[in-house]
Amino acid sequence: MNAPRMRAGGELLIHGELVLMGAVGDPFDGFDAMGTRRALAIHGNGDVTVRLNSGRGDPFEGAAIMAALQEHPGRVSVRVEGLAASAASLLAMGADEIVMGPAALLMIHDPSAITLGPADAHRRTAETLDKLADTYATAYARRSGLDPARVRELMAAETWMDGAEAVALGFADRADDGDPADAPAPAAGRMLQQFRHTPPALLARQERVGGPPVAADRTKEANVPDTITQPAPPAAPAVQPAEPDHAAQLRKMGAKLEIPGERVEQLLAAGVTLEAGREALMDEWAARGDQHEYGARPAEPRPGFDMRDRLIAGMAAWLKGEDPRAGAAITPTMAAFEVCRMNRLRAWDGAEAVRMAASHTSGDFPLILEGAVGNDVARRLEQRLPDLARASHEVARNDYRAANLLGLSASAAPEAVSEGGEIKHVSIDETGEALPQLEDYASLFAISEKALVNDSTSAGLFDQLGAKMVEGAVERLRAELIRPLEANSGAGQTMRDGNPVFDASRGNVAASGAALSVTSLSNARLAMRTQKGPKGELLAIEPWALVVPPALETVAQQLVTEITPATADGVNPFAGRLQVIVEPGLADPDAWYLVADPSRFDGLAHAFLDGQRAPRIETKAGWNRLALEFRLVWPLAACFVATASWYRNAGA
């Protein structure tokens, strides 16, 4: 296994800022188009600020990154921190806004190459370089508004521009004021000595900040002024009629800012320069407020919303079946690469990225997997809860200790008080029934690292993993709900008074079993309506649902279905008044239950730790084998906390 290596620059995405530093197209000592696109996909559709400091690289990679910035749905602002030269200046042209930092420089020049071979090989290289130069000149011209021929002249002269000059020529939108001493050192290294017209002041600055020494022959050039730009570009005219290219750019900008087309045409008719037109449109947009940001502005991130949350959301989208190529979905391999970048590690391939992310970081990757898989399990579980859970109500438990419901020392009904009489005192204490006492349930799963790296395979594995986790969780919750119902041979759990839930003394069980019918159901309803509390108070409980095993489902549905009777005697008193809850886990195929609404009356109850309605998913790298282990942990419990809201008939 290759040892992890620290990155010298690279594409780091931190709180909406994409940092591009180092060589363009070098994934180890800089950044490349693939990494940039991945970072933008992880960021989503929101606005992004690109902090750029690069002075060399592959022009094809620069063109690819320029295209990626142009295609990003949100507004892209490139801030040149130190230097944007060569391929780096080309990629900057894809931004909606280019800002020059204090002492920042931008340089454009003709592409160059080294050719080995006969004269024909050199001629072919020269033809290719001419085509590349024309193509890049078109990109520069489109962004600056200059004529392509003029841009070719500036490229041939290797033109260096400071902030003010870049703005004047249209290569930047604005230049920030500030102390040049605070600006980052230009990221070009020894490449500064290979350019033909590098400003001497820049070479001296590079040496002061610890860069390579200045070449001796550079200091002997005659009559080279100590200025930032060499040669100096011509000053921009004060007034310039809007050329067709200017008009197209201003119209495009107006459309993105949602400014009426008539306003843009007024500016064009007035003969504004491209720069003045941009400023006018930006001023008008700013005056209209943030609701008119570029395109559809996404919701602002919540406080503390960091990269881990974005990766969790991206993986959750992938687990739901979204295509990573079409949106913000992120595969495990993509997440692993990004975690490596966040921790300044360089992975050579997908397997190395997964291994590094799982083993050599501060725990980000396992937490991302935990969050994504946990969200997926919670979503699936919500759709698969046992039907019996509808007849139970959730109670809050924040620890594992035994606890009871509150009870009263006497009836809470107010009594008449005579003049000067004493008001009855009622004590409240924990003399009620026991609350569900939580227990931990857990299971282990594992996915091999090789399977995890293969995104197409891992998609199916994660789908199976989520399905199996939910399947097990549903069965566990069903078993917990049924256990207090069928304890004591069907009589129910033992309550605080020593008797089971369903006992003749409580009046909530049929004296003899009877098949489900209008008559037997009427008797059950009467028994429930006349239930009294422990202090003799009338509870007035209203029946809400029938709980039946699968064998009685059809009969139960017939009893509650609304039909038009032929005679008054044929009227079904339960038509449309009761819900039917079918629980396939019930052991007795004949017994049925009448239940009150759990949201109104205490009865069967279940609890999760701190309201954790879905299992907790934990992940760690395997030690005995190359795999990621997933542990499902779910603290839960269920029991009866009251008996009057349930009625049982053993059936016939």
Side-chain angles (χ1 to χ4, degrees):
M1 181 179 73
N2 292 317
R5 302 182 67 179
M6 301 294 289
R7 292 178 59 83
E11 55 282 340
L12 301 176
L13 184 57
I14 306 172
H15 298 300
E17 291 190 346
L18 179 60
V19 181
L20 301 182
M21 295 191 178
V24 181
D26 186 339
F28 175 71
D29 194 28
F31 54 93
D32 57 16
M34 180 179 294
T36 301
R37 281 192 176 275
R38 184 185 298 116
L40 291 173
I42 292 170
H43 177 64
N45 295 335
D47 301 346
V48 63
T49 297
V50 178
R51 296 191 175 272
L52 178 62
N53 189 15
S54 174
R56 59 190 173 91
D58 185 339
F60 293 106
E61 286 286 314
I65 297 174
M66 177 181 68
L69 299 182
Q70 290 173 332
E71 295 166 10
H72 183 67
R75 180 171 182 257
V76 177
S77 176
V78 167
R79 178 180 176 84
V80 181
E81 298 279 322
L83 179 62
S86 190
S89 65
L90 179 64
L91 73 87
M93 300 300 109
D96 296 292
E97 178 190 42
I98 300 175
V99 181
M100 301 291 290
L105 298 175
L106 187 145
M107 185 271 279
I108 63 174
H109 68 159
D110 279 342
S112 59
I114 298 176
T115 304
L116 298 177
D120 285 345
H122 290 276
R123 278 190 284 269
R124 286 194 298 271
T125 298
E127 292 173 358
T128 301
L129 290 174
D130 285 338
K131 291 179 181 179
L132 289 176
D134 289 339
T135 301
Y136 302 153
T138 300
Y140 288 127
R142 186 182 303 114
R143 184 63 175 76
S144 67
L146 297 175
D147 184 80
R150 174 57 182 150
V151 173
R152 286 289 285 109
E153 293 175 0
L154 296 175
M155 292 171 62
E158 188 188 295
T159 301
W160 294 76
M161 293 168 267
D162 61 14
E165 292 162 342
V167 170
L169 287 173
F171 288 92
D173 297 285
R174 60 186 175 87
D176 279 354
D177 296 329
D179 187 353
D182 296 332
R190 298 186 182 275
M191 287 295 295
L192 288 176
Q193 300 181 43
Q194 299 177 19
F195 296 134
R196 292 178 297 143
H197 300 294
T198 308
L202 178 56
L203 290 170
R205 181 171 174 230
Q206 180 73 20
E207 185 175 11
R208 286 197 303 273
V209 298
V214 179
D217 58 345
R218 296 296 307 221
T219 61
K220 298 178 181 179
E221 295 182 3
N223 302 320
V224 178
D226 187 13
T227 58
I228 295 298
T229 302
Q230 172 70 21
V239 179
Q240 175 181 335
E243 299 174 2
D245 201 37
H246 284 170
Q249 289 192 58
L250 291 177
R251 290 189 183 104
K252 178 182 177 182
M253 184 176 183
K256 292 185 71 175
L257 295 175
E258 299 180 359
I259 294 175
E262 306 85 61
R263 175 57 180 152
V264 178
E265 297 304 324
Q266 289 176 1
L267 293 172
L268 294 173
V272 296
T273 64
L274 178 61
E275 169 102 16
R278 285 173 174 165
E279 291 183 359
L281 293 177
M282 287 296 292
D283 290 343
E284 185 161 335
W285 165 77
R288 295 168 63 187
D290 288 343
Q291 68 272 22
H292 295 291
E293 281 278 1
Y294 285 81
R297 182 178 177 87
E300 286 295 326
R302 64 172 174 79
F305 188 79
D306 58 11
M307 178 52 60
R308 183 187 298 166
D309 300 304
R310 295 181 187 273
L311 291 173
I312 290 173
M315 276 200 63
W318 175 73
L319 289 173
K320 287 192 294 185
E322 295 184 19
D323 189 344
R325 297 169 299 180
I330 300 169
T331 68
T333 306
M334 293 170 63
F337 270 116
E338 192 58 38
V339 168
C340 287
R341 296 176 197 279
M342 291 164 58
N343 289 272
R344 300 185 66 81
L345 300 172
R346 183 59 195 170
W348 303 100
D349 54 24
E352 186 74 2
V354 170
R355 193 170 298 116
M356 282 185 179
S359 306
H360 297 287
T361 67
S362 57
D364 289 320
F365 189 57
L367 289 174
I368 291 164
L369 289 177
E370 288 173 14
V373 175
N375 290 346
D376 184 56
V377 169
R379 175 180 60 85
R380 292 171 183 250
L381 183 62
E382 197 65 32
Q383 302 167 353
R384 289 274 313 276
L385 286 174
D387 209 19
L388 186 58
R390 295 166 51 205
S392 175
H393 73 282
E394 184 178 337
V395 296
R397 294 306 314 272
N398 56 11
D399 57 43
Y400 293 83
R401 293 177 295 180
N404 290 20
L405 285 174
L406 297 178
L408 301 177
S409 61
S411 172
E415 296 181 355
V417 181
S418 61
E419 184 177 356
E422 184 179 354
I423 301 175
K424 180 184 67 174
H425 184 80
V426 180
S427 299
I428 300 177
D429 51 36
E430 288 191 351
T431 58
E433 295 292 342
L435 290 169
Q437 187 169 0
L438 297 172
E439 292 186 51
D440 285 326
Y441 297 92
S443 55
L444 282 172
F445 304 84
I447 295 180
S448 71
E449 288 183 358
K450 289 184 178 179
L452 191 63
V453 170
N454 187 341
D455 289 333
S456 59
T457 301
S458 61
L461 289 175
F462 272 104
D463 186 69
Q464 295 177 39
L465 177 66
K468 292 300 181 184
M469 285 182 171
V470 171
E471 181 181 311
V474 168
E475 285 307 302
R476 170 47 54 194
L477 181 56
R478 172 177 283 115
E480 284 298 298
L481 292 170
I482 292 176
R483 180 176 52 79
L485 195 62
E486 295 188 336
N488 293 316
S489 301
Q493 74 181 60
T494 301
M495 303 300 289
R496 191 182 179 102
D497 61 4
N499 295 321
V501 172
F502 304 107
D503 187 76
S505 64
R506 306 186 194 281
N508 67 348
V509 62
S512 59
L516 190 57
S517 65
V518 171
T519 300
S520 61
L521 194 54
S522 295
N523 293 334
R525 180 171 65 174
L526 177 61
M528 184 171 286
R529 287 285 194 184
T530 56
Q531 282 285 333
K532 292 184 178 182
K535 308 304 178 184
E537 66 274 19
L538 190 64
L539 299 179
I541 298 176
E542 178 183 358
W544 168 74
L546 271 172
V547 176
V548 299
L552 299 179
E553 180 176 3
T554 300
V555 176
Q557 291 288 357
Q558 289 174 337
L559 277 174
V560 303
T561 300
E562 294 189 25
I563 59 174
T564 304
T567 64
D569 293 340
V571 173
N572 180 3
F574 301 104
R577 295 181 178 273
L578 293 176
Q579 298 188 36
V580 174
I581 296 175
V582 181
E583 177 46 64
L586 293 174
D588 191 334
D590 298 319
W592 52 272
Y593 305 84
L594 188 63
V595 184
D597 187 345
S599 66
R600 298 177 56 193
F601 303 96
D602 286 340
L604 181 62
H606 61 276
F608 309 110
L609 182 62
D610 288 328
Q612 186 181 303
R613 302 188 74 247
R616 183 175 74 251
I617 307 299
E618 300 172 342
T619 306
K620 72 170 186 176
W623 183 256
N624 295 327
R625 55 178 176 165
L626 297 177
L628 281 173
E629 296 179 352
F630 294 83
R631 183 172 69 180
L632 180 149
V633 181
W634 203 10
L636 59 91
C639 69
F640 276 95
V641 296
T643 61
S645 61
W646 278 69
Y647 179 94
R648 183 179 188 271
N649 190 308

